[in-house]
C-alpha cells in the first residue's frame, strides 16, 4: 500500500505482506535458544542474535555478520525481521512528540514520546516516557475515546509492540526508560502478546527496562487484572476509572456493564496484595459527566481502600464527540477534594494539549487526510 501525505514530499510505502513466518523479534531468548538447538546450532548464537536485534538494532538477519552465512540463510527461511515505517512525526525535541507508524499490512498505529515530567506514572524523575499501542483500534468503545471510534481491527504482535520503542528511539535519538501502555487499544485484551512484549522489553538481552518502569493501563478487565497479578514481574498497573459509581461509568464505558465497579475494585485488591505496590487510578475530567464533588468524595473512598494514587487528566476534545473539559476552577476544586481527603493526586496542567492529545487521535486525523493511491 502506498500512502501520500498532503504537505509532505515523500510518499511512504507500506507493503502488505502475507507471509506466514513469525517475526524473529517476537521470540523470547529461551525460545530463540530452542530454535537454534533445533537448527543444530549452539545456544550462545541466541545471545548474538539478541545483541544484533536490541543493542545494534539491525533491520535484517542478513546484517548479522558474525553469524555464519548459511545460518543466516536458514534463519531467513523461518523468520521475518520487520520494522515500523514512520509515516508522520508531530512535535519537536524536548516537547511531546507523536509518531504515526505504518505496520507491514498497512495498518496505522501511534506512539507518544513524553519528555521528562514530574507528574507521570513513575516517581519524580527525568525519565523519558513512551506511550505505546497494543491494538489497531479498540473494541471497548468508551464514549469519549478516539481509539474506539472506528472499532477494532486486530491485536498487535509482540514485535510490533516492542518495535514502537525501537523506532521512536531511532527517530528521536533519545534513550527511553519508562514505558506506559496507554496508547491505542486495551492491553489486557491482548494479554499473551502484551506479556511476551513486556518480557522482551524487560530482559537484559532485550531492551533491559525495569518492570517497575513499565505501566499497563486498563479500562477495567477484572479477570485479566487478576491474571496480571499472578505474573511474577513487578509491572505497575493503572486503572482507567473515570467514574466513581456504576451510574457514571455505565454512561461512558461499556466495559462497566460486564465488570461493575465492585468487581473491578476487588480485582485491584487482589493485584495490590500480590504486587505490594501502589496502583494508579486514571480519571479523565469531563464537564458535567464525572466532575462533581460527589464523584470526588467516592473516588477518594475507592483510592483509600487500595492505597491508590489518582491522576486527574483534563479531557482532550475529540473531533466529532460531544464532550469537553471542565473549567480550570472546577478541575482544581476536584483536586482539592481529593487532597483534603489525603489522597495522593496530581492534575495534568501542561499546555499544548493539541499535540499531547490522547492516543488514537493522530491516527484518526491522518486516516481522514490520507488518500490511498
Ligand atoms: N485501553 C486502556 C489503555 C489505552 S487508553 C485504557 O483505557 O486504560 C489510555 C488512557 O487515555 C485511558 O485512561 C483513557 O481513558 C485515556 N483517554 C482516552 N481518550 C482520552 C481523551 N480524549 N482525553 C484524555 N484521555 C483520554
Ligand atoms: Fe479502548 Fe482504552 Fe479507548 Fe476505552 S479508553 S476505547 S478501552 S483505548
Amino acid at each position: 500500500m502506498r500512502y501520500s501525505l498532503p504537505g509532505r514530499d515523500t510518499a511512504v510505502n507500506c507493503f502488505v505482506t502475507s507471509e506466514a513466518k513469525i517475526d524473529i523479534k517476537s521470540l523470547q531468548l529461551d525460545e530463540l535458544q530452542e530454535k537454534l538447538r533445533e537448527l543444530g546450532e549452539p545456544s550462545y548464537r541466541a545471545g548474538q542474535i539478541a545483541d544484533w536485534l536490541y543493542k545494534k538494532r539491525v533491520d535484517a538477519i542478513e546484517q548479522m555478520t558474525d553469524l555464519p552465512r548459511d545460518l543466516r540463510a536458514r534463519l531467513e527461511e523461518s523468520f521475518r525481521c520487520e520494522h515500523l515505517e514512520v509515516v508522520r512525526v508531530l512535535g519537536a525535541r524536548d516537547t511531546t512528540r507523536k509518531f504515526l507508524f505504518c505496520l507491514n499490512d498497512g495498518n496505522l498505529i501511534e506512539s507518544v514520546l513524553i519528555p521528562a515530567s514530574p507528574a507521570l506514572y513513575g516517581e519524580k524523575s527525568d525519565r523519558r516516557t513512551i506511550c505505546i499501542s497494543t491494538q489497531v483500534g479498540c473494541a471497548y468503545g468508551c464514549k469519549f475515546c478516539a481509539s474506539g471510534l472506528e472499532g477494532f481491527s486486530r491485536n498487535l504482535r509482540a514485535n510490533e509492540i516492542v518495535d514502537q520503542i525501537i523506532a521512536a528511539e531511532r527517530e528521536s535519538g533519545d534513550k527511553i526508560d519508562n514505558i506506559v501502555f496507554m496508547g491505542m487499544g486495551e492491553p489486557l485484551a491482548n494479554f499473551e502478546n502484551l506479556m511476551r512484549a513486556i518480557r522482551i522489553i524487560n530482559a537484559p538481552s532485550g531492551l533491559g527496562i525495569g518492570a517497575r518502569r513499565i505501566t499497563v493501563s486498563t479500562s477495567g478487565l477484572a479477570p485479566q487484572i487478576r491474571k496480571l497479578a499472578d505474573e511474577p514481574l513487578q509491572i505497575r498497573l493503572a486503572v482507567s476509572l473515570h467514574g466513581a459509581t456504576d451510574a457514571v461509568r455505565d454512561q461512558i464505558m461499556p466495559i462497566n456493564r460486564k465488570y461493575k465497579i465492585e468487581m473491578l475494585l476487588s480485582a485491584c485488591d487482589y493485584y495490590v496484595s500480590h504486587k505490594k505496590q501502589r496502583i494508579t487510578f486514571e480519571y479523565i475530567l469531563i464537564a458535567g459527566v464525572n466532575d462533581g464533588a460527589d464523584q470526588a468524595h467516592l473516588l477518594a473512598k475507592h483510592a483509600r481502600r487500595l492505597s491508590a494514587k489518582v491522576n486527574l487528566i483534563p479531557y482532550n476534545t475529540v473531533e466529532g464527540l460531544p464532550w469537553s473539559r471542565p473549567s480550570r476552577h472546577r478541575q482544581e476544586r476536584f483536586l482539592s477534594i481529593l487532597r483534603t481527603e489525603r489522597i495522593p493526586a496530581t492534575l495534568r496542567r501542561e499546555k499544548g494539549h493539541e499535540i499531547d492529545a490522547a492516543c488514537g487521535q493522530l491516527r484518526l486525523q491522518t486516516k481522514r487526510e490520507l488518500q490511498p493511491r
Side-chain angles (χ1 to χ4, degrees):
M1 200 173 297
R2 191 172 158 82
Y3 285 119
S4 82
L5 208 62
R8 188 172 165 143
D9 298 339
T10 43
V12 176
N13 288 312
C14 290
F15 295 106
V16 179
T17 53
S18 55
E19 288 179 89
K21 291 181 208 168
I22 62 162
D23 195 279
I24 195 159
K25 268 181 274 179
S26 59
L27 293 184
Q28 293 160 211
L29 190 66
D30 54 342
E31 294 167 330
L32 203 48
Q33 283 165 343
E34 178 58 32
K35 184 69 201 170
L36 285 154
R37 257 194 301 277
E38 283 170 23
L39 291 172
E41 292 286 331
S43 64
Y44 70 80
R45 294 269 185 234
Q48 283 179 294
I49 293 171
D51 225 51
W52 283 111
L53 293 174
Y54 304 111
K55 307 289 186 289
K56 304 191 190 103
R57 311 264 170 105
V58 294
D59 280 335
I61 292 168
E62 171 57 28
Q63 293 164 9
M64 301 179 182
T65 46
D66 62 356
L67 300 184
R69 204 173 281 275
D70 83 298
L71 173 59
R72 279 182 265 163
R74 279 183 294 148
L75 286 171
E76 269 167 359
E77 278 166 23
S78 311
F79 298 109
R80 284 177 291 137
C81 186
E82 291 176 353
H83 63 277
L84 299 178
E85 287 283 350
V86 181
V87 176
R88 202 170 191 186
V89 183
L90 289 189
R93 229 186 133 74
D94 300 325
T95 65
T96 299
R97 260 164 300 170
K98 278 200 156 200
F99 300 92
L100 189 73
F101 296 119
C102 184
L103 304 173
N104 264 36
D105 63 1
N107 271 307
L108 298 173
I109 55 163
E110 62 186 74
S111 316
V112 183
L113 184 60
I114 307 156
S117 159
L120 271 156
Y121 304 92
E123 304 309 319
K124 289 190 182 202
S125 72
D126 57 357
R127 288 174 195 166
R128 271 158 309 260
T129 298
I130 191 167
C131 167
I132 56 181
S133 298
T134 51
Q135 299 183 313
V136 181
C138 183
Y140 287 84
C142 300
K143 299 281 195 292
F144 48 79
C145 176
S147 296
L149 267 186
E150 286 190 274
F152 171 72
S153 299
R154 70 169 173 87
N155 281 330
L156 294 189
R157 296 185 293 267
N159 61 295
E160 293 168 327
I161 297 174
V162 177
D163 269 340
Q164 293 170 63
I165 305 168
I166 293 176
E169 285 193 342
R170 179 179 293 178
E171 184 75 17
S172 67
D174 284 345
K175 170 86 184 77
I176 291 161
D177 37 27
N178 211 32
I179 314 286
V180 296
F181 285 91
M182 295 187 182
M184 226 195 307
E186 170 49 56
L188 296 187
N190 185 13
F191 198 90
E192 275 182 26
N193 292 338
L194 170 77
M195 284 315 302
R196 185 175 275 280
I198 287 177
R199 287 185 209 110
I200 294 168
I201 292 168
N202 175 248
S205 59
L207 300 185
I209 296 176
R212 287 175 186 277
R213 295 184 168 196
I214 302 173
T215 302
V216 172
S217 176
T218 179
S219 57
L221 275 65
Q224 282 83 349
I225 289 176
R226 290 173 185 271
K227 211 167 147 192
L228 192 66
D230 292 334
E231 289 284 335
L233 285 177
Q234 288 292 326
I235 310 155
R236 290 184 188 274
L237 180 68
V239 175
S240 297
L241 206 57
H242 311 331
T245 53
D246 283 325
V248 171
R249 266 177 71 87
D250 279 345
Q251 200 187 330
I252 50 177
M253 302 180 77
I255 182 80
N256 199 68
R257 292 192 210 121
K258 194 161 180 194
Y259 306 119
K260 296 282 173 213
I261 283 198
E262 187 42 46
M263 278 176 82
L264 172 56
L265 295 178
S266 97
C268 293
D269 285 331
Y270 184 81
Y271 193 89
V272 172
S273 66
H274 278 63
K275 296 286 184 214
K276 312 240 180 312
Q277 58 168 279
R278 274 173 193 265
I279 66 168
T280 304
F281 284 140
E282 303 288 308
Y283 198 99
I284 309 177
L285 289 167
I286 310 177
V289 174
N290 64 359
D291 59 342
D294 54 331
Q295 289 292 308
H297 287 293
L298 279 166
L299 175 59
K301 189 175 150 223
H302 300 326
R304 187 166 310 109
R305 157 177 173 176
L306 285 151
S307 302
K309 297 181 280 189
V310 176
N311 247 342
L312 298 176
I313 306 153
Y315 180 66
N316 283 313
T317 42
V318 176
E319 210 189 310
L321 295 181
W323 321 97
S324 62
R325 53 172 64 184
S327 66
R328 260 310 270 283
H329 174 72
R330 247 178 114 75
Q331 295 174 26
E332 297 289 347
R333 196 181 68 132
F334 200 95
L335 175 68
S336 77
I337 294 174
L338 295 177
R339 294 247 167 102
T340 310
E341 296 245 19
R342 302 196 165 280
I343 302 301
T346 52
L347 169 64
R348 207 183 273 178
R349 292 191 180 89
E350 68 262 36
K351 298 189 196 97
H353 78 274
E354 298 78 12
I355 165 79
D356 200 26
C359 271
Q361 299 188 29
L362 179 61
R363 168 176 173 260
L364 193 64
Q365 181 195 332
T366 308
K367 276 183 84 174
R368 284 169 181 168
E369 288 173 23
L370 285 170
Q371 301 300 326
R373 271 197 221 152

